[in-house]
Amino acid sequence: MSLHPGEPITAGRPAPSTKEPSGTRPGTAGERHRLTALQGLSALSLDAMASVAYGPESIVLVLAAAGAYGLGFTLPVTLAIAVLLAVLVASYRQVIAAFPDGGGSYAVAKRHLGRRTGLVAAASLILDYVLNVAVSVTAGVAALTSAFPQLYGERAWICLGVLALVTAVNLFGVVNSARAFIAPTAVFVGSILVMITVGLFRDGPASTASAAGHASALGEGATTVGALLLLKAFAAGCSARTGVEAVANAVPSFRTPAARRAQHTEVALGALLGVMLIGLSVLIGRFHLQPVEGVTVLAQLADASFGHNAAFYVVQFATMVLLALAANTSFGGLPVLMSLLARDNYLPHFFSLKGDRQVHRHGVVWLAAVSGVLLVFSGGDTNTLVPLFAIGVFVGFTICQAGMVRHWYELRPGGWRVKAALNAFGALLTGVSAVVVTATKFTEGAWLIVLALPLLVLAFGRIHRAYAGIGAHLELGRIPQPPHRSPSLVVVPVSGLSKLTSQALTAARSLGDSVLAVTVTHPGDEDRQAAEALRRDWELWKPGIELVEVRSERRELGRPFSQYVRKLGESHPGFHVTVLIPETEPAHVWQRLLQNQRGFVVAHAIRRDTDAVICRLRFRVTADSP
């Protein structure tokens, strides 16, 4: 655990930023590890693009409870979602301009709604991103097992394999992941747009082979559609809006000018997503499609538009690949968010570290590990995870929209009332969606999110208080006393004579005014003989340093040594006591398993029982050493 020099201990409300995010300047080598607008579309929009595969289906499955009459409301519900999508895209363009350092909902809420609300937004985003990885991977594998049923029993292992692949790609840099995913994204978007175009020119379905023999999920006898059902359909379909916030969260990942490129990416994403959602809903009504068990709505639409031929399988394969890779959105957005939280002392500071390819490796690895646990927990079942996924999305959207209302009110630019009204309308709709999904899915697993959200916020607060305590103890932000010389005593643990012992004592003499060599002896014939041999060899060697024997009745090493060091500190007030622990460092990693770990045992005991400084001297053993 460490604190950055000069870093504030408490998070306040920073002044509004209008500058580009700090970091690599144009023309530097690091720019090639950042995103263009097209690369950003492929790296950060996969979640939103893939949601068209289950967004319309979620609407249809809810409306199917009201029978064929209920399915007639598919297009109106989708149009309402498209309107909200437009509001969100316009809002997040403003978020990008106002917060070029990224952070999305967290940055907006922290500035305009206060620290606690910002932490709630951050917690919801973290849950959203983690669950997006699990949902995307399981949905992609579900498409695969639908085409190849014999793989159904191995879906959990396949999910973990896909997760490992996406993680490995992202560890090589966000630009590399974007390049790898441009082709799948283009194939998916192209196939969906072609399918919509072809379907609009058909008078009826070209084929219904995919749904043949499957039980219908359509309700019977219903002739009315209530407001609650429409709200549920709207809330279910809003899963198609997931991912639109990812661009705003990852603005620093774009090339300069980052904010402008991110805004272009956001608009392109919203336009593509809106066209695909509305087009698919039109086809659902045109073909009078009915949901069936075991076959996705998108598969039925591909069958109806293209027929049961090669084009049908291209759509299925592209959907499978994109759904599986949609997890990349989280890998692009969450590590940036975690780095901002770490900078504000709400997460461990190692999450803010970047690798040589502009990768927050700790965030990537942490995301992969938690998502892997969720995949194992769910057994690779999408339906287990989707209810958990939606709530975090809606909470983050609602907080961000409410924060932007405050943003417009504080700035009051021209036309601010219209902008604030749009954001307020969006906050109302997403807030209603959050309440509806939580209430309807509470017993199906949504209670986990209701529990996890406040626990994450509490964890943020605990970490922040810990950093504040450390900072106060270190007096960060204050001018320290000038350095001065104090008498020092260096203690070196020894167990025998060797070149390592000689180097350790030489280093100790360079570090301290006084040096003591300490060995721990035990009762027993063999141990007593070893102690006598060491004492005899020490007298023959005559290094000019006293050898102190610390007797221990039990065969312990760490505790007797730490007790002796503590007594030394008490008997030498004003002295700085340093324990210099000599250790060998083998040429090969596997050879470390051959070491006796005495240095680790002593260091652990000293750290636990004393305030002495620990210095570990590494003696490298090269491959050609005898």
Side-chain angles (χ1 to χ4, degrees):
M1 181 182 296
S2 63
L3 285 165
H4 304 310
E7 190 174 52
I9 303 305
T10 58
R13 298 188 182 184
S17 173
T18 58
K19 300 184 297 182
E20 289 293 334
S22 58
T24 308
R25 294 183 177 179
T28 60
E31 279 288 278
R32 63 190 180 91
H33 295 301
R34 299 182 185 272
L35 298 169
T36 64
L38 178 61
Q39 291 170 341
L41 193 62
S42 64
L44 300 173
S45 68
L46 293 179
D47 175 20
M49 294 291 185
S51 64
V52 304
Y54 50 80
E57 181 163 3
S58 299
I59 299 172
V60 168
L61 288 175
V62 173
L63 294 177
Y69 180 73
L71 291 177
F73 287 85
T74 300
L75 182 57
V77 171
T78 303
L79 289 175
I81 292 172
V83 170
L84 182 54
L85 174 64
V87 173
L88 288 174
V89 169
S91 174
Y92 276 107
R93 284 188 78 251
Q94 299 301 324
V95 171
I96 291 168
F99 299 89
D101 286 330
S105 301
Y106 167 64
V108 173
K110 188 180 73 171
R111 180 186 298 179
H112 296 298
L113 300 178
R115 181 179 64 88
R116 291 189 180 278
T117 307
L119 294 180
V120 172
S124 68
L125 284 172
I126 289 176
L127 294 174
D128 173 20
Y129 278 133
V130 171
L131 287 165
N132 170 58
V133 173
V135 169
S136 299
V137 171
T138 55
V141 173
L144 175 66
T145 56
S146 296
F148 303 97
Q150 62 270 25
L151 298 177
Y152 184 79
E154 305 297 329
R155 64 189 186 281
W157 289 107
I158 300 175
C159 285
L160 293 175
V162 172
L163 175 63
L165 174 63
V166 176
T167 303
V169 171
N170 277 275
L171 286 174
F172 283 98
V174 66
V175 171
N176 288 333
S177 70
R179 291 169 180 165
F181 300 149
I182 284 178
T185 304
V187 171
F188 176 79
V189 173
S191 63
I192 295 297
L193 294 178
V194 171
M195 182 184 73
I196 293 172
T197 303
V198 172
L200 291 175
F201 284 95
R202 290 193 182 278
D203 296 328
S207 171
T208 58
S210 61
H214 292 267
S216 175
L218 194 66
E220 297 181 0
T223 57
T224 60
V225 176
L228 181 60
L229 186 66
L230 290 177
L231 281 175
K232 290 177 65 176
F234 177 81
C238 280
S239 60
R241 295 182 296 107
T242 61
V244 297
E245 79 287 355
V247 178
N249 291 335
V251 178
S253 297
F254 285 86
R255 293 182 184 176
T256 304
R260 189 180 307 167
R261 292 181 187 274
Q263 287 179 320
H264 293 165
T265 302
E266 189 74 58
V267 172
L269 170 60
L272 283 173
L273 190 56
V275 168
M276 289 191 289
L277 285 174
I278 295 173
L280 293 175
S281 295
V282 170
L283 291 187
I284 290 173
R286 188 178 185 85
F287 296 136
H288 305 288
L289 185 145
Q290 298 181 2
V292 297
E293 297 179 1
V295 180
T296 65
V297 168
L298 194 61
Q300 293 186 64
L301 289 176
D303 203 16
S305 294
F306 294 128
H308 208 73
N309 50 30
F312 166 81
Y313 286 103
V314 168
V315 174
Q316 288 299 98
F317 181 75
T319 303
M320 176 197 70
V321 173
L322 199 76
L323 280 168
L325 299 181
N328 193 69
T329 298
S330 295
F331 284 98
L334 181 59
V336 176
L337 173 63
M338 296 179 75
S339 72
L340 293 177
L341 287 167
R343 188 187 65 185
D344 292 339
N345 295 329
Y346 291 111
L347 281 179
H349 286 164
F350 58 75
F351 283 116
S352 65
L353 301 177
K354 280 187 178 182
D356 54 358
R357 296 176 180 268
Q358 301 297 314
V359 180
H360 295 93
R361 296 186 183 276
H362 293 284
V364 170
V365 173
W366 181 90
L367 174 59
V370 176
S371 301
V373 172
L374 281 176
L375 289 174
V376 173
F377 168 76
S378 66
D381 181 23
T382 306
N383 293 328
T384 303
L385 297 168
V386 168
L388 312 181
F389 178 42
I391 297 174
V393 177
F394 296 143
V395 170
F397 281 160
T398 303
I399 291 176
C400 185
Q401 296 294 305
M404 289 308 294
V405 173
R406 181 73 177 270
H407 173 77
W408 296 126
Y409 178 77
E410 291 179 354
L411 294 182
R412 300 182 187 178
W416 71 271
R417 288 184 175 86
V418 175
K419 297 176 180 178
L422 284 174
N423 290 135
F425 180 64
L428 176 64
L429 291 180
T430 53
V432 169
S433 300
V435 173
V436 171
V437 173
T438 303
T440 57
K441 301 293 184 180
F442 188 81
T443 58
E444 299 177 27
W447 63 270
L448 285 173
I449 301 302
V450 176
L451 180 64
L453 197 60
L455 288 179
L456 264 179
V457 174
L458 290 174
F460 293 153
R462 182 69 179 270
I463 293 172
H464 192 268
R465 287 192 297 273
Y467 274 126
I470 295 171
H473 187 73
L474 296 178
E475 298 183 353
L476 291 184
R478 303 179 184 177
I479 299 178
Q481 295 180 355
H484 60 280
R485 179 175 177 80
S486 298
S488 58
L489 173 62
V490 183
V491 181
V492 181
V494 297
S495 57
L497 292 187
S498 65
K499 186 177 181 180
L500 178 62
T501 308
S502 175
Q503 288 200 354
L505 294 177
T506 300
R509 276 186 161 172
S510 302
L511 291 174
D513 300 312
S514 302
V515 179
L516 289 177
V518 179
T519 183
V520 178
T521 62
H522 306 97
D525 294 339
E526 184 177 348
D527 295 306
R528 187 165 45 252
Q529 292 175 6
E532 291 174 355
L534 174 60
R535 190 183 310 112
R536 185 171 54 253
D537 293 341
W538 197 271
E539 292 175 354
L540 292 174
W541 186 34
K542 297 181 179 179
I545 295 173
E546 180 184 358
L547 176 64
V548 178
E549 296 185 21
V550 177
R551 296 187 58 81
S552 173
E553 297 301 321
R554 294 185 294 178
R555 297 190 60 82
E556 288 183 312
L557 175 63
R559 190 176 299 277
F561 195 93
S562 64
Q563 289 176 347
Y564 175 77
V565 171
R566 188 172 63 247
K567 292 178 181 178
L568 270 180
E570 294 171 353
S571 60
H572 293 75
F575 273 67
H576 281 289
V577 180
T578 300
V579 178
L580 189 148
I581 303 174
E583 297 175 301
T584 57
E585 185 173 296
H588 303 287
V589 175
W590 68 268
Q591 291 176 337
R592 296 179 185 178
L593 299 174
L594 307 179
Q595 295 177 292
N596 56 26
Q597 305 301 323
R598 291 170 61 92
F600 171 80
V601 172
V602 172
H604 176 71
I606 295 297
R607 186 179 296 110
R608 180 192 60 205
D609 300 332
T610 76
D611 294 327
V613 176
I614 300 173
C615 180
R616 303 181 78 163
L617 175 68
R618 301 296 177 91
F619 180 75
R620 290 180 177 270
V621 180
T622 58
D624 55 354
S625 297

